[in-house]
mmCIF file of all heavy atoms in Angstrom:
data_model
loop_
_atom_site.group_PDB
_atom_site.id
_atom_site.type_symbol
_atom_site.label_atom_id
_atom_site.label_comp_id
_atom_site.label_asym_id
_atom_site.label_seq_id
_atom_site.Cartn_x
_atom_site.Cartn_y
_atom_site.Cartn_z
ATOM 1 N N VAL A 54 -20.486 50.766 -7.592
ATOM 2 C CA VAL A 54 -20.222 52.219 -7.562
ATOM 3 C C VAL A 54 -21.416 52.974 -6.985
ATOM 4 O O VAL A 54 -21.248 53.889 -6.253
ATOM 5 C CB VAL A 54 -20.011 52.714 -9.041
ATOM 6 C CG1 VAL A 54 -19.944 54.292 -9.100
ATOM 7 C CG2 VAL A 54 -18.651 52.065 -9.624
ATOM 8 N N TRP A 55 -22.628 52.474 -7.318
ATOM 9 C CA TRP A 55 -23.795 53.148 -6.717
ATOM 10 C C TRP A 55 -23.986 52.838 -5.236
ATOM 11 O O TRP A 55 -24.346 53.701 -4.466
ATOM 12 C CB TRP A 55 -25.086 52.639 -7.467
ATOM 13 C CG TRP A 55 -25.140 53.094 -8.888
ATOM 14 C CD1 TRP A 55 -24.940 52.308 -9.975
ATOM 15 C CD2 TRP A 55 -25.362 54.399 -9.412
ATOM 16 N NE1 TRP A 55 -25.046 53.068 -11.132
ATOM 17 C CE2 TRP A 55 -25.271 54.344 -10.797
ATOM 18 C CE3 TRP A 55 -25.585 55.627 -8.816
ATOM 19 C CZ2 TRP A 55 -25.451 55.436 -11.627
ATOM 20 C CZ3 TRP A 55 -25.827 56.751 -9.565
ATOM 21 C CH2 TRP A 55 -25.672 56.669 -10.959
ATOM 22 N N ILE A 56 -23.614 51.631 -4.844
ATOM 23 C CA ILE A 56 -23.697 51.261 -3.427
ATOM 24 C C ILE A 56 -22.721 52.054 -2.628
ATOM 25 O O ILE A 56 -22.904 52.346 -1.396
ATOM 26 C CB ILE A 56 -23.424 49.742 -3.317
ATOM 27 C CG1 ILE A 56 -24.531 48.902 -3.902
ATOM 28 C CG2 ILE A 56 -23.245 49.352 -1.761
ATOM 29 C CD1 ILE A 56 -24.373 47.427 -4.000
ATOM 30 N N SER A 57 -21.563 52.453 -3.254
ATOM 31 C CA SER A 57 -20.514 53.187 -2.533
ATOM 32 C C SER A 57 -20.926 54.555 -2.148
ATOM 33 O O SER A 57 -20.438 55.160 -1.105
ATOM 34 C CB SER A 57 -19.288 53.329 -3.447
ATOM 35 O OG SER A 57 -19.557 54.285 -4.505
ATOM 36 N N ILE A 58 -21.954 55.076 -2.749
ATOM 37 C CA ILE A 58 -22.503 56.460 -2.410
ATOM 38 C C ILE A 58 -23.009 56.608 -1.002
ATOM 39 O O ILE A 58 -22.637 57.402 -0.187
ATOM 40 C CB ILE A 58 -23.503 56.927 -3.514
ATOM 41 C CG1 ILE A 58 -22.844 57.149 -4.864
ATOM 42 C CG2 ILE A 58 -24.107 58.286 -3.065
ATOM 43 C CD1 ILE A 58 -23.857 57.417 -5.985
ATOM 44 N N PRO A 59 -23.973 55.644 -0.640
ATOM 45 C CA PRO A 59 -24.436 55.695 0.766
ATOM 46 C C PRO A 59 -23.339 55.366 1.815
ATOM 47 O O PRO A 59 -23.257 55.981 2.861
ATOM 48 C CB PRO A 59 -25.570 54.764 0.788
ATOM 49 C CG PRO A 59 -25.441 53.889 -0.351
ATOM 50 C CD PRO A 59 -24.809 54.737 -1.384
ATOM 51 N N PHE A 60 -22.424 54.528 1.379
ATOM 52 C CA PHE A 60 -21.245 54.162 2.290
ATOM 53 C C PHE A 60 -20.419 55.420 2.512
ATOM 54 O O PHE A 60 -20.063 55.691 3.598
ATOM 55 C CB PHE A 60 -20.434 53.070 1.608
ATOM 56 C CG PHE A 60 -20.862 51.646 1.886
ATOM 57 C CD1 PHE A 60 -22.026 51.210 1.395
ATOM 58 C CD2 PHE A 60 -20.056 50.838 2.736
ATOM 59 C CE1 PHE A 60 -22.444 49.860 1.707
ATOM 60 C CE2 PHE A 60 -20.352 49.605 3.034
ATOM 61 C CZ PHE A 60 -21.602 49.120 2.499
ATOM 62 N N PHE A 61 -20.097 56.170 1.453
ATOM 63 C CA PHE A 61 -19.300 57.318 1.576
ATOM 64 C C PHE A 61 -19.934 58.397 2.403
ATOM 65 O O PHE A 61 -19.366 59.050 3.303
ATOM 66 C CB PHE A 61 -18.886 57.928 0.206
ATOM 67 C CG PHE A 61 -18.047 59.115 0.321
ATOM 68 C CD1 PHE A 61 -16.729 59.102 0.626
ATOM 69 C CD2 PHE A 61 -18.619 60.397 -0.008
ATOM 70 C CE1 PHE A 61 -15.909 60.243 0.656
ATOM 71 C CE2 PHE A 61 -17.882 61.553 0.079
ATOM 72 C CZ PHE A 61 -16.561 61.546 0.399
ATOM 73 N N ILE A 62 -21.257 58.655 2.112
ATOM 74 C CA ILE A 62 -22.055 59.720 2.826
ATOM 75 C C ILE A 62 -22.094 59.360 4.295
ATOM 76 O O ILE A 62 -21.926 60.149 5.176
ATOM 77 C CB ILE A 62 -23.449 59.881 2.197
ATOM 78 C CG1 ILE A 62 -23.380 60.459 0.790
ATOM 79 C CG2 ILE A 62 -24.334 60.724 3.071
ATOM 80 C CD1 ILE A 62 -24.635 60.470 0.050
ATOM 81 N N SER A 63 -22.346 58.020 4.555
ATOM 82 C CA SER A 63 -22.399 57.666 6.015
ATOM 83 C C SER A 63 -21.070 57.765 6.708
ATOM 84 O O SER A 63 -21.090 58.298 7.827
ATOM 85 C CB SER A 63 -22.896 56.088 6.039
ATOM 86 O OG SER A 63 -24.086 55.890 5.474
ATOM 87 N N TYR A 64 -20.028 57.450 6.048
ATOM 88 C CA TYR A 64 -18.707 57.588 6.677
ATOM 89 C C TYR A 64 -18.311 59.025 6.900
ATOM 90 O O TYR A 64 -17.860 59.412 8.008
ATOM 91 C CB TYR A 64 -17.672 56.897 5.796
ATOM 92 C CG TYR A 64 -16.296 56.929 6.387
ATOM 93 C CD1 TYR A 64 -16.004 56.282 7.605
ATOM 94 C CD2 TYR A 64 -15.190 57.542 5.671
ATOM 95 C CE1 TYR A 64 -14.692 56.294 8.152
ATOM 96 C CE2 TYR A 64 -13.933 57.492 6.241
ATOM 97 C CZ TYR A 64 -13.704 56.960 7.471
ATOM 98 O OH TYR A 64 -12.404 56.923 7.970
ATOM 99 N N ALA A 65 -18.544 59.892 5.884
ATOM 100 C CA ALA A 65 -18.295 61.356 6.004
ATOM 101 C C ALA A 65 -19.063 61.959 7.134
ATOM 102 O O ALA A 65 -18.633 62.719 7.992
ATOM 103 C CB ALA A 65 -18.508 62.005 4.739
ATOM 104 N N THR A 66 -20.464 61.550 7.257
ATOM 105 C CA THR A 66 -21.271 62.100 8.268
ATOM 106 C C THR A 66 -20.820 61.682 9.718
ATOM 107 O O THR A 66 -20.821 62.379 10.586
ATOM 108 C CB THR A 66 -22.744 61.615 8.004
ATOM 109 O OG1 THR A 66 -23.142 61.998 6.751
ATOM 110 C CG2 THR A 66 -23.697 62.184 9.124
ATOM 111 N N ALA A 67 -20.394 60.290 9.791
ATOM 112 C CA ALA A 67 -19.998 59.803 11.054
ATOM 113 C C ALA A 67 -18.642 60.491 11.485
ATOM 114 O O ALA A 67 -18.559 60.873 12.648
ATOM 115 C CB ALA A 67 -19.723 58.277 10.893
ATOM 116 N N MET A 68 -17.752 60.587 10.563
ATOM 117 C CA MET A 68 -16.558 61.300 10.922
ATOM 118 C C MET A 68 -16.694 62.740 11.380
ATOM 119 O O MET A 68 -16.149 63.187 12.402
ATOM 120 C CB MET A 68 -15.494 61.173 9.796
ATOM 121 C CG MET A 68 -15.062 59.811 9.460
ATOM 122 S SD MET A 68 -14.182 59.001 10.837
ATOM 123 C CE MET A 68 -12.680 59.946 10.871
ATOM 124 N N LEU A 69 -17.535 63.485 10.562
ATOM 125 C CA LEU A 69 -17.705 64.930 10.822
ATOM 126 C C LEU A 69 -18.509 64.985 12.153
ATOM 127 O O LEU A 69 -18.158 65.814 13.042
ATOM 128 C CB LEU A 69 -18.474 65.544 9.694
ATOM 129 C CG LEU A 69 -18.876 67.046 9.871
ATOM 130 C CD1 LEU A 69 -17.574 67.839 9.923
ATOM 131 C CD2 LEU A 69 -19.711 67.455 8.696
ATOM 132 N N GLY A 70 -19.616 64.251 12.270
ATOM 133 C CA GLY A 70 -20.506 64.428 13.476
ATOM 134 C C GLY A 70 -19.755 64.003 14.808
ATOM 135 O O GLY A 70 -19.941 64.716 15.728
ATOM 136 N N ASN A 71 -19.101 62.847 14.719
ATOM 137 C CA ASN A 71 -18.424 62.435 15.963
ATOM 138 C C ASN A 71 -17.261 63.282 16.282
ATOM 139 O O ASN A 71 -16.956 63.544 17.482
ATOM 140 C CB ASN A 71 -18.105 60.862 15.843
ATOM 141 C CG ASN A 71 -19.260 60.032 15.912
ATOM 142 O OD1 ASN A 71 -19.955 59.923 16.888
ATOM 143 N ND2 ASN A 71 -19.626 59.402 14.787
ATOM 144 N N SER A 72 -16.535 63.714 15.258
ATOM 145 C CA SER A 72 -15.369 64.576 15.599
ATOM 146 C C SER A 72 -15.836 65.867 16.173
ATOM 147 O O SER A 72 -15.202 66.437 17.143
ATOM 148 C CB SER A 72 -14.521 64.827 14.344
ATOM 149 O OG SER A 72 -14.073 63.654 13.788
#
Side-chain angles (χ1 to χ4, degrees):
V54 173
W55 295 106
I56 294 170
S57 71
I58 296 172
F60 272 70
F61 177 76
I62 292 171
S63 299
Y64 183 59
T66 305
M68 293 299 291
L69 180 63
N71 287 294
S72 298

